[in-house]
Amino acid sequence: MRRTASPLSLILLGIGTFLLVLAPMLAWYVTPRAAVNPIDIDTTAVYKGTGSVFDTDKIETVPDQNITVTQRVRGNVAESERSGNAVWDVITTVDTDKSLPAADPHDALDFTPHRWVMDRRTTKPVHCCKETPYIEGEAYLKFPFDVQKRSYQWWDNTGGTTVTMRYDGTEKIQGYTGYRFTATVAPRKVGTRLVPGSIVDEPDRPQVLAEEWYSNHGFKLVVDQRTGRVIYAQTGPRRTLRAPGGDKDAAVLLDSEKIAFTPATQKEAVRQAKRDSGLLRMVGETLPVGTAVAGFALAVVGGVLVVRGRKRPEAPGTVEMPQPSLTM
């Protein structure tokens, strides 16, 4: 009797070996290439709150106004493909009930267009492609993939500088758990604005190059850990004018302790976070683990069958001849 490996055992061994090789490739090669920021993004976030705004018709600050902030983000696909980075064009408008709805976003209380360019994998800013302003820090609009429980340098576009967002535990948004980060911003000069002197308590001067100051009562961001997507954002901006060289606010342009994502924006952000996080989990964890387990099982079964082989009888009519021996 002799033993030969069956085709089935070889097939099982081959498939098992292939799956064992595929598992780490999914985790170490495919997953990092799947975790990239999109170039065709088209999303709108809406914030709402109440506060004081400067009424240009009344030439005074009016309290208890409804404030709506709309942030539209669109990917510039042509520039992204040319540069290899993610090029996002962002338009942020600030409105009161008086300017909503506006046929033209330029009619808003405040209108700010800018362009953010980032590395698709690390989310770090890249300075090219007519980026404006010169954005710095580790995150803006979103955090990097695989968010850690540490502080991050977040770009505050209103202040024109980075803000240290400190990890502050977890929080559920629309039933979905994310990492919470918080920060405040002390008053700082951000520019100048030509205004009538009466606005900054200098009535004898028809025009004054007033100083514009900005602070923030508090940022709160809740972020999906796997994708870095912001599922809840809250800000408390305060923008004021001071006389040249002044040390106190003379006029309030905007002041609100809380302007936050609307429930509809929260739900959409959570929906996208669940979808993208689920895909990354499948590619980075579920598939590699399942593939490794299946590969190991098939390889073991195939290996055992190969070792054991299958007994086959000798062909009839054959006689094993003894080998001659050399004797002296």
Side-chain angles (χ1 to χ4, degrees):
M1 304 292 285
R2 63 179 178 175
R3 300 175 185 271
T4 60
S6 68
L8 177 60
S9 64
L10 295 176
I11 292 172
L12 293 177
L13 181 61
I15 293 176
T17 302
F18 171 75
L19 292 178
L20 287 174
V21 173
L22 179 62
M25 288 185 63
L26 287 171
W28 301 331
Y29 183 82
V30 177
T31 301
R33 285 157 178 79
V36 294
N37 293 303
I39 63 175
D40 58 349
I41 187 172
D42 189 349
T43 183
T44 300
V46 179
Y47 303 66
K48 285 189 177 293
T50 59
S52 301
V53 298
F54 190 83
D55 190 314
T56 55
D57 293 332
K58 297 181 179 180
I59 317 296
E60 64 180 13
T61 301
V62 181
D64 302 322
Q65 299 295 297
N66 293 322
I67 300 171
T68 300
V69 178
T70 306
Q71 190 173 65
R72 177 77 180 271
V73 183
R74 300 186 68 178
N76 190 313
V77 176
E79 286 285 352
S80 298
E81 291 178 341
R82 184 187 62 79
S83 67
N85 303 299
V87 181
W88 291 3
D89 291 320
V90 187
I91 293 179
T92 304
T93 58
V94 181
D95 289 280
T96 61
D97 291 342
K98 183 178 179 180
S99 60
L100 280 178
D104 186 338
H106 292 82
D107 296 334
L109 182 68
D110 188 66
F111 171 82
T112 308
H114 53 288
R115 170 172 286 186
W116 181 34
V117 185
M118 63 177 149
D119 184 281
R120 296 191 65 191
R121 292 187 174 86
T122 66
T123 314
K124 291 182 178 179
V126 177
H127 307 298
C128 74
C129 316
K130 300 179 180 179
E131 169 211 27
T132 179
Y134 190 92
I135 294 175
E136 299 178 289
E138 299 173 276
Y140 174 51
L141 301 182
K142 74 176 295 292
F143 278 60
F145 293 93
D146 190 24
V147 180
Q148 304 298 305
K149 296 179 179 180
R150 64 171 179 84
S151 296
Y152 283 84
Q153 293 301 308
W154 175 267
W155 175 257
D156 179 6
N157 200 59
T158 304
T161 188
T162 57
V163 174
T164 300
M165 300 294 299
R166 293 178 174 82
Y167 175 74
D168 191 31
T170 62
E171 185 171 332
K172 284 190 175 183
I173 303 297
Q174 302 294 328
Y176 187 75
T177 302
Y179 285 3
R180 181 177 61 245
F181 294 86
T182 57
T184 58
V185 179
R188 63 187 303 269
K189 181 181 175 181
V190 294
T192 57
R193 182 178 298 198
L194 190 64
V195 299
S198 59
I199 292 179
V200 291
D201 300 328
E202 295 193 3
D204 295 335
R205 301 175 62 182
Q207 296 288 324
V208 173
L209 193 61
E211 297 177 357
E212 186 170 352
W213 284 69
Y214 162 77
S215 61
N216 202 295
H217 297 287
F219 281 107
K220 184 170 82 169
L221 304 173
V222 182
V223 183
D224 176 46
Q225 187 275 329
R226 194 178 299 272
T227 66
R229 179 182 292 276
V230 176
I231 59 176
Y232 177 84
Q234 176 183 314
T235 181
R238 177 177 171 84
R239 294 167 54 189
T240 62
L241 293 178
R242 296 183 183 183
D247 57 2
K248 64 178 183 179
D249 298 331
V252 174
L253 300 177
L254 173 68
D255 188 17
S256 175
E257 293 192 0
K258 179 182 177 181
I259 304 175
F261 272 6
T262 64
T265 296
Q266 295 174 37
K267 290 177 182 178
E268 177 61 16
V270 167
R271 183 190 69 80
Q272 295 184 29
K274 283 183 177 179
R275 179 198 63 192
D276 296 344
S277 182
L279 290 173
L280 290 178
R281 184 185 299 108
M282 180 180 67
V283 175
E285 295 179 7
T286 307
L287 284 179
V289 171
T291 300
V293 171
F296 178 77
L298 292 175
V300 168
V301 173
V304 170
L305 292 177
V306 168
V307 171
R308 292 179 59 188
R310 184 177 63 187
K311 291 184 178 181
R312 295 179 60 186
E314 299 290 345
T318 62
V319 178
E320 186 175 353
M321 300 297 293
Q323 296 295 324
S325 59
L326 181 61
T327 59
M328 298 295 292

